[in-house]
mmCIF file of all heavy atoms in Angstrom:
data_model
loop_
_atom_site.group_PDB
_atom_site.id
_atom_site.type_symbol
_atom_site.label_atom_id
_atom_site.label_comp_id
_atom_site.label_asym_id
_atom_site.label_seq_id
_atom_site.Cartn_x
_atom_site.Cartn_y
_atom_site.Cartn_z
ATOM 1 N N ASP B 1 39.405 49.182 121.983
ATOM 2 C CA ASP B 1 39.065 49.795 123.297
ATOM 3 C C ASP B 1 38.323 51.122 123.034
ATOM 4 O O ASP B 1 38.671 52.153 123.681
ATOM 5 C CB ASP B 1 40.368 50.001 124.112
ATOM 6 C CG ASP B 1 40.984 48.760 124.589
ATOM 7 O OD1 ASP B 1 40.234 47.698 124.662
ATOM 8 O OD2 ASP B 1 42.246 48.663 124.710
ATOM 9 N N GLN B 2 37.364 51.082 122.223
ATOM 10 C CA GLN B 2 36.430 52.240 121.905
ATOM 11 C C GLN B 2 37.029 53.426 121.220
ATOM 12 O O GLN B 2 36.442 54.495 121.183
ATOM 13 C CB GLN B 2 35.664 52.676 123.283
ATOM 14 C CG GLN B 2 35.008 51.533 123.902
ATOM 15 C CD GLN B 2 34.248 51.973 125.167
ATOM 16 O OE1 GLN B 2 34.408 53.021 125.574
ATOM 17 N NE2 GLN B 2 33.653 51.018 125.836
ATOM 18 N N ARG B 3 38.203 53.234 120.598
ATOM 19 C CA ARG B 3 38.950 54.287 119.906
ATOM 20 C C ARG B 3 38.940 53.900 118.428
ATOM 21 O O ARG B 3 39.338 52.744 118.153
ATOM 22 C CB ARG B 3 40.269 54.569 120.467
ATOM 23 C CG ARG B 3 40.315 55.083 121.882
ATOM 24 C CD ARG B 3 41.735 55.304 122.368
ATOM 25 N NE ARG B 3 42.358 56.234 121.438
ATOM 26 C CZ ARG B 3 42.759 57.553 121.767
ATOM 27 N NH1 ARG B 3 42.676 57.927 122.981
ATOM 28 N NH2 ARG B 3 43.270 58.240 120.831
ATOM 29 N N PRO B 4 38.593 54.748 117.527
ATOM 30 C CA PRO B 4 38.679 54.424 116.130
ATOM 31 C C PRO B 4 40.126 54.305 115.632
ATOM 32 O O PRO B 4 40.940 55.150 116.016
ATOM 33 C CB PRO B 4 37.972 55.640 115.438
ATOM 34 C CG PRO B 4 38.133 56.729 116.399
ATOM 35 C CD PRO B 4 38.171 56.181 117.836
ATOM 36 N N TYR B 5 40.432 53.221 114.938
ATOM 37 C CA TYR B 5 41.780 53.009 114.482
ATOM 38 C C TYR B 5 41.955 52.863 112.945
ATOM 39 O O TYR B 5 42.938 53.218 112.436
ATOM 40 C CB TYR B 5 42.428 51.828 115.128
ATOM 41 C CG TYR B 5 42.986 52.350 116.445
ATOM 42 C CD1 TYR B 5 42.325 51.950 117.657
ATOM 43 C CD2 TYR B 5 44.149 52.954 116.648
ATOM 44 C CE1 TYR B 5 42.836 52.360 118.971
ATOM 45 C CE2 TYR B 5 44.620 53.412 117.847
ATOM 46 C CZ TYR B 5 43.939 53.076 118.987
ATOM 47 O OH TYR B 5 44.421 53.467 120.235
ATOM 48 N N ALA B 6 40.983 52.184 112.353
ATOM 49 C CA ALA B 6 41.111 51.855 110.957
ATOM 50 C C ALA B 6 39.869 51.774 110.185
ATOM 51 O O ALA B 6 38.846 51.388 110.767
ATOM 52 C CB ALA B 6 41.924 50.552 110.822
ATOM 53 N N SER B 7 39.870 52.150 108.902
ATOM 54 C CA SER B 7 38.743 51.811 108.017
ATOM 55 C C SER B 7 39.354 51.393 106.779
ATOM 56 O O SER B 7 40.279 51.837 106.198
ATOM 57 C CB SER B 7 38.096 53.213 107.790
ATOM 58 O OG SER B 7 36.951 52.984 106.852
ATOM 59 N N THR B 8 38.827 50.167 106.314
ATOM 60 C CA THR B 8 39.479 49.549 105.097
ATOM 61 C C THR B 8 38.411 48.814 104.332
ATOM 62 O O THR B 8 37.403 48.386 104.868
ATOM 63 C CB THR B 8 40.629 48.573 105.515
ATOM 64 O OG1 THR B 8 41.348 48.214 104.373
ATOM 65 C CG2 THR B 8 40.164 47.368 106.298
ATOM 66 N N ASP B 9 38.623 48.747 102.971
ATOM 67 C CA ASP B 9 37.791 47.980 102.015
ATOM 68 C C ASP B 9 37.980 46.541 102.155
ATOM 69 O O ASP B 9 39.323 46.271 102.312
ATOM 70 C CB ASP B 9 37.885 48.552 100.650
ATOM 71 C CG ASP B 9 37.397 49.995 100.446
ATOM 72 O OD1 ASP B 9 36.542 50.408 101.266
ATOM 73 O OD2 ASP B 9 37.891 50.710 99.557
ATOM 74 N N LEU B 10 37.134 45.681 101.961
ATOM 75 C CA LEU B 10 37.311 44.265 101.841
ATOM 76 C C LEU B 10 37.439 43.865 100.418
ATOM 77 O O LEU B 10 36.936 44.404 99.474
ATOM 78 C CB LEU B 10 36.075 43.469 102.482
ATOM 79 C CG LEU B 10 36.056 43.400 103.935
ATOM 80 C CD1 LEU B 10 35.682 44.591 104.605
ATOM 81 C CD2 LEU B 10 35.188 42.299 104.406
ATOM 82 N N THR B 11 38.344 42.845 100.284
ATOM 83 C CA THR B 11 38.612 42.292 98.889
ATOM 84 C C THR B 11 38.282 40.750 99.021
ATOM 85 O O THR B 11 38.703 40.135 99.959
ATOM 86 C CB THR B 11 40.018 42.427 98.429
ATOM 87 O OG1 THR B 11 40.449 43.833 98.489
ATOM 88 C CG2 THR B 11 40.275 41.835 97.164
ATOM 89 N N ASP B 12 37.351 40.337 98.222
ATOM 90 C CA ASP B 12 36.844 38.954 98.246
ATOM 91 C C ASP B 12 36.374 38.508 99.654
ATOM 92 O O ASP B 12 36.600 37.448 100.149
ATOM 93 C CB ASP B 12 37.918 37.916 97.813
ATOM 94 C CG ASP B 12 38.281 38.109 96.341
ATOM 95 O OD1 ASP B 12 37.420 38.487 95.550
ATOM 96 O OD2 ASP B 12 39.495 37.960 96.009
ATOM 97 N N GLY B 13 35.703 39.548 100.282
ATOM 98 C CA GLY B 13 35.092 39.242 101.667
ATOM 99 C C GLY B 13 36.136 39.145 102.759
ATOM 100 O O GLY B 13 35.768 38.768 103.873
ATOM 101 N N GLN B 14 37.374 39.721 102.507
ATOM 102 C CA GLN B 14 38.376 39.679 103.566
ATOM 103 C C GLN B 14 39.150 40.978 103.647
ATOM 104 O O GLN B 14 39.369 41.620 102.629
ATOM 105 C CB GLN B 14 39.323 38.516 103.359
ATOM 106 C CG GLN B 14 38.726 37.069 103.343
ATOM 107 C CD GLN B 14 39.645 36.048 103.168
ATOM 108 O OE1 GLN B 14 40.588 35.977 103.921
ATOM 109 N NE2 GLN B 14 39.495 35.243 102.201
ATOM 110 N N ALA B 15 39.773 41.243 104.798
ATOM 111 C CA ALA B 15 40.582 42.383 104.881
ATOM 112 C C ALA B 15 41.601 42.072 106.070
ATOM 113 O O ALA B 15 41.391 41.402 107.130
ATOM 114 C CB ALA B 15 39.829 43.633 105.308
ATOM 115 N N ALA B 16 42.801 42.600 105.934
ATOM 116 C CA ALA B 16 43.833 42.624 106.862
ATOM 117 C C ALA B 16 43.979 43.989 107.463
ATOM 118 O O ALA B 16 44.084 44.996 106.703
ATOM 119 C CB ALA B 16 45.178 42.220 106.428
ATOM 120 N N VAL B 17 43.924 44.145 108.747
ATOM 121 C CA VAL B 17 43.915 45.502 109.403
ATOM 122 C C VAL B 17 44.928 45.545 110.420
ATOM 123 O O VAL B 17 45.054 44.563 111.283
ATOM 124 C CB VAL B 17 42.536 45.802 110.029
ATOM 125 C CG1 VAL B 17 42.570 47.240 110.711
ATOM 126 C CG2 VAL B 17 41.350 45.682 109.045
ATOM 127 N N THR B 18 45.773 46.549 110.441
ATOM 128 C CA THR B 18 46.886 46.733 111.473
ATOM 129 C C THR B 18 46.606 48.031 112.284
ATOM 130 O O THR B 18 46.362 49.083 111.619
ATOM 131 C CB THR B 18 48.254 46.787 110.815
ATOM 132 O OG1 THR B 18 48.518 45.668 110.021
ATOM 133 C CG2 THR B 18 49.352 46.996 111.845
ATOM 134 N N VAL B 19 46.514 47.817 113.536
ATOM 135 C CA VAL B 19 46.314 48.947 114.437
ATOM 136 C C VAL B 19 47.348 48.996 115.572
ATOM 137 O O VAL B 19 47.783 47.955 116.009
ATOM 138 C CB VAL B 19 44.803 48.943 115.031
ATOM 139 C CG1 VAL B 19 43.844 49.089 113.936
ATOM 140 C CG2 VAL B 19 44.611 47.758 115.860
ATOM 141 N N PRO B 20 47.661 50.291 116.006
ATOM 142 C CA PRO B 20 48.565 50.291 117.158
ATOM 143 C C PRO B 20 47.853 49.753 118.387
ATOM 144 O O PRO B 20 46.726 49.958 118.619
ATOM 145 C CB PRO B 20 48.966 51.798 117.186
ATOM 146 C CG PRO B 20 47.859 52.548 116.530
ATOM 147 C CD PRO B 20 47.369 51.583 115.535
ATOM 148 N N VAL B 21 48.607 49.122 119.277
ATOM 149 C CA VAL B 21 48.129 48.625 120.528
ATOM 150 C C VAL B 21 48.243 49.776 121.610
ATOM 151 O O VAL B 21 49.262 50.169 121.901
ATOM 152 C CB VAL B 21 48.794 47.419 120.980
ATOM 153 C CG1 VAL B 21 48.271 46.944 122.353
ATOM 154 C CG2 VAL B 21 48.617 46.278 120.074
ATOM 155 N N ALA B 22 47.094 50.261 122.002
ATOM 156 C CA ALA B 22 47.170 51.443 122.830
ATOM 157 C C ALA B 22 46.629 51.158 124.292
ATOM 158 O O ALA B 22 47.055 51.900 125.085
ATOM 159 C CB ALA B 22 46.329 52.615 122.265
ATOM 160 N N ALA B 23 45.947 50.099 124.448
ATOM 161 C CA ALA B 23 45.387 49.885 125.810
ATOM 162 C C ALA B 23 45.538 48.536 126.232
ATOM 163 O O ALA B 23 45.553 47.601 125.334
ATOM 164 C CB ALA B 23 43.866 50.395 125.781
ATOM 165 N N ALA B 24 45.453 48.246 127.462
ATOM 166 C CA ALA B 24 45.545 46.899 127.957
ATOM 167 C C ALA B 24 44.376 46.057 127.879
ATOM 168 O O ALA B 24 44.409 44.795 127.692
ATOM 169 C CB ALA B 24 45.938 46.886 129.477
ATOM 170 N N ASP B 25 43.165 46.560 127.943
ATOM 171 C CA ASP B 25 41.931 45.765 127.878
ATOM 172 C C ASP B 25 41.711 45.080 126.488
ATOM 173 O O ASP B 25 41.323 43.944 126.482
ATOM 174 C CB ASP B 25 40.717 46.697 128.162
ATOM 175 C CG ASP B 25 39.441 45.888 128.324
ATOM 176 O OD1 ASP B 25 39.581 44.719 128.785
ATOM 177 O OD2 ASP B 25 38.342 46.431 128.207
ATOM 178 N N ARG B 26 41.978 45.743 125.441
ATOM 179 C CA ARG B 26 41.969 45.282 124.061
ATOM 180 C C ARG B 26 40.606 44.554 123.663
ATOM 181 O O ARG B 26 40.802 43.380 123.410
ATOM 182 C CB ARG B 26 43.208 44.517 123.765
ATOM 183 C CG ARG B 26 44.410 45.281 123.896
ATOM 184 C CD ARG B 26 45.619 44.900 123.205
ATOM 185 N NE ARG B 26 45.732 43.624 122.642
ATOM 186 C CZ ARG B 26 46.763 42.914 122.583
ATOM 187 N NH1 ARG B 26 47.817 43.229 123.295
ATOM 188 N NH2 ARG B 26 46.785 41.843 121.895
ATOM 189 N N ALA B 27 39.578 45.257 123.563
ATOM 190 C CA ALA B 27 38.423 44.671 122.941
ATOM 191 C C ALA B 27 38.376 45.366 121.551
ATOM 192 O O ALA B 27 38.659 46.559 121.491
ATOM 193 C CB ALA B 27 37.233 45.030 123.661
ATOM 194 N N ALA B 28 37.956 44.718 120.534
ATOM 195 C CA ALA B 28 37.829 45.248 119.173
ATOM 196 C C ALA B 28 36.362 45.243 118.848
ATOM 197 O O ALA B 28 35.655 44.193 119.023
ATOM 198 C CB ALA B 28 38.652 44.509 118.182
ATOM 199 N N ARG B 29 35.910 46.412 118.291
ATOM 200 C CA ARG B 29 34.559 46.407 117.749
ATOM 201 C C ARG B 29 34.707 46.614 116.181
ATOM 202 O O ARG B 29 35.591 47.549 115.777
ATOM 203 C CB ARG B 29 33.720 47.558 118.266
ATOM 204 C CG ARG B 29 32.301 47.660 117.715
ATOM 205 C CD ARG B 29 31.461 48.752 118.224
ATOM 206 N NE ARG B 29 31.608 49.823 117.327
ATOM 207 C CZ ARG B 29 31.754 51.122 117.679
ATOM 208 N NH1 ARG B 29 31.766 51.455 118.868
ATOM 209 N NH2 ARG B 29 31.819 52.002 116.721
ATOM 210 N N ILE B 30 34.142 45.867 115.355
ATOM 211 C CA ILE B 30 34.170 45.992 113.915
ATOM 212 C C ILE B 30 32.718 46.257 113.402
ATOM 213 O O ILE B 30 31.815 45.541 113.727
ATOM 214 C CB ILE B 30 34.785 44.734 113.371
ATOM 215 C CG1 ILE B 30 36.139 44.467 113.919
ATOM 216 C CG2 ILE B 30 34.843 44.811 111.829
ATOM 217 C CD1 ILE B 30 36.456 43.132 114.098
ATOM 218 N N ASP B 31 32.643 47.418 112.745
ATOM 219 C CA ASP B 31 31.410 47.728 112.101
ATOM 220 C C ASP B 31 31.568 47.431 110.618
ATOM 221 O O ASP B 31 32.540 47.886 109.959
ATOM 222 C CB ASP B 31 31.092 49.289 112.284
ATOM 223 C CG ASP B 31 30.688 49.546 113.715
ATOM 224 O OD1 ASP B 31 30.348 48.556 114.482
ATOM 225 O OD2 ASP B 31 30.754 50.702 114.085
ATOM 226 N N GLY B 32 30.576 46.742 109.951
ATOM 227 C CA GLY B 32 30.616 46.483 108.565
ATOM 228 C C GLY B 32 29.602 47.265 107.799
ATOM 229 O O GLY B 32 28.469 47.441 108.242
#
C-alpha cells in the first residue's frame, strides 16, 4: 500500500518476505 516494508537479498532466485499488514487495500509493489 505504497509504504516501504522490506528489503531482502534473493537466494537461488527466491526470497521469503514477511511484512506487517497495515492497510486494507493491500497492493504490493516489488522492485528488483
Side-chain angles (χ1 to χ4, degrees):
D1 293 334
Q2 301 178 4
R3 296 182 58 115
Y5 278 104
S7 181
T8 190
D9 294 333
L10 277 75
T11 303
D12 296 326
Q14 299 183 58
V17 181
T18 301
V19 296
V21 177
D25 190 28
R26 296 204 354 220
R29 185 181 92 221
I30 299 142
D31 291 339

